[in-house]
Amino acid sequence: MNQSTTLFVGLDVHKDSIAVAYAPQERGAEAIFLGPIGTRQCDIERLIRQLHSKAPHLLFLYEAGPCGYWLYRYLQNKGEDCIVVAPSLIPRKPGDRVKTDRRDAVQLARLMRSGDLNPVYVPSVEDESIRDLCRAREDSMGDLKAAKHRLKSFLLRHDIRYAGKAVWNAAHLRWLADEVALPTAAQRIVFQDYVRAITHLMERLAQIERELQEQVKGWRLAPLVWAYEALRGVQFHVAVTIAAELGDLTRFTQPRQLMSYVYFLQE
């Protein structure tokens, strides 16, 4: 039997293991499950050598997920072809709810051979780092909002109300520091702990925003950020988040593709 020139290699990637299957390029050839391997570089290099003994060209693919794009970048640096696919766009038979590592890896290899999978956009390391910083800011804002809500709920339970119109400004913070009085030591401990948490989170958020401003200055998409800011009502943090999440717009050939991608992000 002639050796295949291409193997489609499906990878079901997890935190500590990768399930591997491959399908030869010949139509109708059976997809073969190799089994799980580790996630160390030596494990992946051993797999590459093993598969190259069967075919000169390998096309690796795996689903986008919590493990990110490190495997894609590692394989690309090794000179191997690799794509990442969106789990939501993988064709599935109606009623097929059985999901195992073996079936997932084999299915990926088969579907790629049949041309039924499309790759997703993989950002560069630089673009992803700015996106990570934007998401860290969003996380900090969420933590700060939750901490403020806890303090407000605590004061409300004890019928302590702020008479001012705006909250979390300088006047409100002075009121918290100087005028809030609680009857017991335990309650004062809780109150001070909540206030310290809010103060810490406000400082943390301010630090992340300063770092984001600094990092964007040398970013390749900085001109795009400034262009977004030129739009009415679009401030810096909105502009940089849009640029970081959308990435390189030149990959869209028409506005409909961009809008479809935005809709996909919201799902």
Side-chain angles (χ1 to χ4, degrees):
M1 182 177 179
N2 294 332
Q3 185 186 49
S4 296
T5 58
T6 301
L7 293 182
F8 298 92
V9 187
L11 306 173
D12 191 35
V13 182
H14 299 282
K15 176 184 175 183
D16 299 316
S17 66
I18 302 173
V20 183
Y22 69 87
Q25 68 177 6
E26 293 78 17
R27 296 281 179 172
E30 182 182 359
I32 299 173
F33 180 65
L34 285 183
I37 65 170
T39 57
R40 299 173 301 175
Q41 293 183 4
C42 61
D43 297 322
I44 299 169
E45 291 176 1
R46 189 181 304 114
L47 173 66
I48 293 173
R49 290 194 299 269
Q50 179 184 356
L51 293 174
H52 269 305
S53 68
K54 304 178 185 299
H57 178 236
L58 307 175
L59 177 56
F60 293 89
L61 66 149
Y62 66 95
E63 298 179 30
C67 292
Y69 302 117
W70 70 267
L71 181 56
Y72 168 88
R73 293 178 180 130
Y74 182 80
L75 290 169
Q76 290 282 356
N77 288 336
K78 286 293 180 180
E80 305 295 338
D81 290 332
C82 181
I83 66 171
V84 183
V85 297
S88 61
L89 298 181
I90 296 176
R92 301 189 187 279
K93 296 179 180 179
D96 185 6
R97 295 184 176 86
V98 178
K99 184 175 174 62
T100 65
D101 295 350
R102 180 189 185 111
R103 289 184 59 145
D104 287 349
V106 169
Q107 183 188 38
L108 285 173
R110 287 174 176 166
L111 290 173
M112 193 61 207
R113 181 177 63 183
S114 62
D116 292 324
L117 296 177
N118 294 312
V120 300
Y121 170 71
V122 177
S124 67
V125 174
E126 182 189 19
D127 292 354
E128 189 177 24
S129 67
I130 298 296
R131 188 179 69 182
D132 287 340
L133 199 51
C134 289
R135 292 181 178 181
R137 177 181 174 272
E138 291 294 323
D139 291 339
S140 294
M141 290 178 65
D143 294 341
L144 180 57
K145 181 178 179 180
K148 289 178 177 179
H149 179 74
R150 282 193 294 269
L151 178 59
K152 290 173 66 176
S153 298
F154 173 77
L155 295 176
L156 183 61
R157 286 199 305 271
H158 298 286
D159 196 29
I160 299 175
R161 306 168 189 269
Y162 178 59
K165 295 182 179 180
V167 295
W168 309 117
N169 54 16
H172 183 224
L173 294 177
R174 285 195 300 271
W175 175 79
L176 288 173
D178 301 332
E179 299 184 32
V180 174
L182 291 155
T184 70
Q187 290 171 339
R188 289 192 290 272
I189 290 172
V190 173
F191 171 73
Q192 292 299 330
D193 181 72
Y194 284 165
V195 171
R196 280 194 298 270
I198 291 172
T199 302
H200 169 72
L201 290 169
M202 291 175 69
E203 294 172 351
R204 172 187 167 194
L205 178 59
Q207 177 64 27
I208 291 177
E209 290 180 342
R210 287 193 295 270
E211 294 291 348
L212 187 57
Q213 290 270 4
E214 189 64 28
Q215 293 297 319
V216 167
K217 291 178 182 178
W219 187 28
R220 70 182 186 92
L221 295 181
L224 189 59
V225 175
W226 314 146
Y228 285 145
E229 282 192 280
L231 299 174
R232 183 176 181 180
V234 179
Q235 297 181 344
F236 170 77
H237 297 111
V238 174
V240 70
T241 300
I242 293 174
E245 294 292 342
L246 293 183
D248 187 0
L249 296 181
T250 60
R251 72 185 192 277
F252 301 110
T253 59
Q254 54 183 336
R256 186 182 297 274
Q257 291 181 339
L258 173 59
M259 293 300 100
S260 296
Y261 182 76
V262 172
Y263 177 79
F264 173 76
L265 288 179
Q266 293 175 340
E267 288 294 307

